[in-house]
Each structure stands twice: as structure tokens, then as C-alpha cells.
């Protein structure tokens, strides 16, 4: 097995399918399943706090400290909470993902459009 794939699996615990069939979208816009780091890899330690909720603030939002005062381009201001294994994957490797799901927009959007709830920190930074 190749090095950088051996530490990955799906949220469901299944191996990452070679045909990428897990990326097919369901009716709600989410993928059938998502790639995460294995528990063994996550167990090596986090470089960021484990955070489960982010806000879709958009590009160039107006923030007063950690408070969103006006959503930016493409943003909607909605919070989305994700599963623990995905949250831990972000905490272990902040650059693992390039986009994430907004439950209000029903779409995957670039990470630049999101901050962690209660912070002004961009998701993926
Ligand atoms: Zn949104």
C-alpha cells in the first residue's frame, strides 16, 4: 500500500474506494461518505483544537473580533456541525481538506469561506 493512502479511510470505516464512488452526492448535497485519517493517524496528536462547528461567513466578511457582523460574498452565516472523525482529521492535519459542506447552502464550498464558530480563524488554517 502506498504511504500516504494507508493512513486514510472513510467515516464509515470502510477503505477509500479506488473509483471514488464515495464522492457521489446524496439528495441533500452531501457526499455518500468522506475521507478521514485513520484513528491510528489521528492518535499521533493534534496540531489544532478539535472543533466541530463552523460558520459560512463567505469571502471578506465583516467580523468584530469573533462576531460575524455581515456575511461576505457567497456566505450565508449558517453554522454547520460535522462528525467527530472529520473534526479530528482537521485537528491532526489542517490542510487535509480543500472544501467543506454548508448545510444551508446544500453545497461544498472552498474553506476560505468558513471560520470556526466562536473564532475568526479560517477553517483549514
Ligand atoms: Zn452557506
Amino acid at each position: 500500500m502506498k504511504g500516504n493512502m494507508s493512513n486514510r479511510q472513510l467515516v464509515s470505516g470502510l477503505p477509500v474506494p479506488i473509483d471514488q464512488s464515495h464522492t457521489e452526492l446524496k439528495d441533500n448535497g452531501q457526499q455518500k461518505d468522506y475521507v478521514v485519517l485513520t484513528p491510528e493517524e489521528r492518535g499521533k496528536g493534534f496540531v489544532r483544537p478539535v472543533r466541530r462547528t463552523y460558520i459560512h461567513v463567505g469571502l471578506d466578511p465583516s467580523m468584530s473580533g469573533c462576531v460575524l457582523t455581515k456575511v461576505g460574498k457567497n456566505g450565508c452565516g449558517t453554522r454547520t456541525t460535522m462528525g467527530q472523525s472529520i473534526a479530528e482529521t482537521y485537528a491532526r492535519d489542517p490542510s487535509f481538506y480543500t472544501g467543506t459542506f454548508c448545510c444551508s447552502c446544500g453545497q461544498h464550498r472552498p474553506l476560505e469561506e468558513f471560520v470556526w464558530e466562536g473564532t475568526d480563524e479560517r477553517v483549514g488554517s
Side-chain angles (χ1 to χ4, degrees):
M1 194 178 277
K2 284 182 187 162
N4 72 345
M5 288 305 291
S6 63
N7 63 2
R8 296 170 185 221
Q9 64 179 46
L10 298 180
V11 171
S12 60
L14 295 171
V16 179
I18 290 168
D19 65 3
Q20 302 292 304
S21 55
H22 66 285
T23 61
E24 283 175 35
L25 299 182
K26 301 187 291 186
D27 288 344
N28 68 3
Q30 289 188 287
Q31 292 181 188
K32 285 184 173 171
D33 208 337
Y34 289 88
V35 177
V36 292
L37 293 168
T38 59
E40 292 74 22
E41 180 63 28
R42 286 182 261 138
K44 291 176 183 173
F46 301 134
V47 300
R48 295 286 186 280
V50 177
R51 292 169 290 204
R52 293 189 55 175
T53 302
Y54 48 73
I55 312 287
H56 190 195
V57 297
L59 299 173
D60 298 319
S62 297
M63 304 279 294
S64 175
C66 300
V67 177
L68 176 67
T69 54
K70 187 168 182 291
V71 296
K73 185 170 183 271
N74 301 330
C76 69
T78 301
R79 61 199 291 275
T80 297
T81 299
M82 59 193 166
Q84 187 69 19
S85 59
I86 298 179
E88 291 185 2
T89 297
Y90 274 107
R92 171 71 185 148
D93 181 358
S95 63
F96 190 84
Y97 300 105
T98 57
T100 196
F101 187 74
C102 173
C103 63
S104 176
C105 295
Q107 289 180 357
H108 295 90
R109 303 292 310 166
L111 291 185
E112 301 81 64
E113 298 182 6
F114 297 86
V115 298
W116 295 112
E117 184 180 49
T119 79
D120 58 0
E121 280 179 60
R122 292 282 159 175
V123 174
S125 65

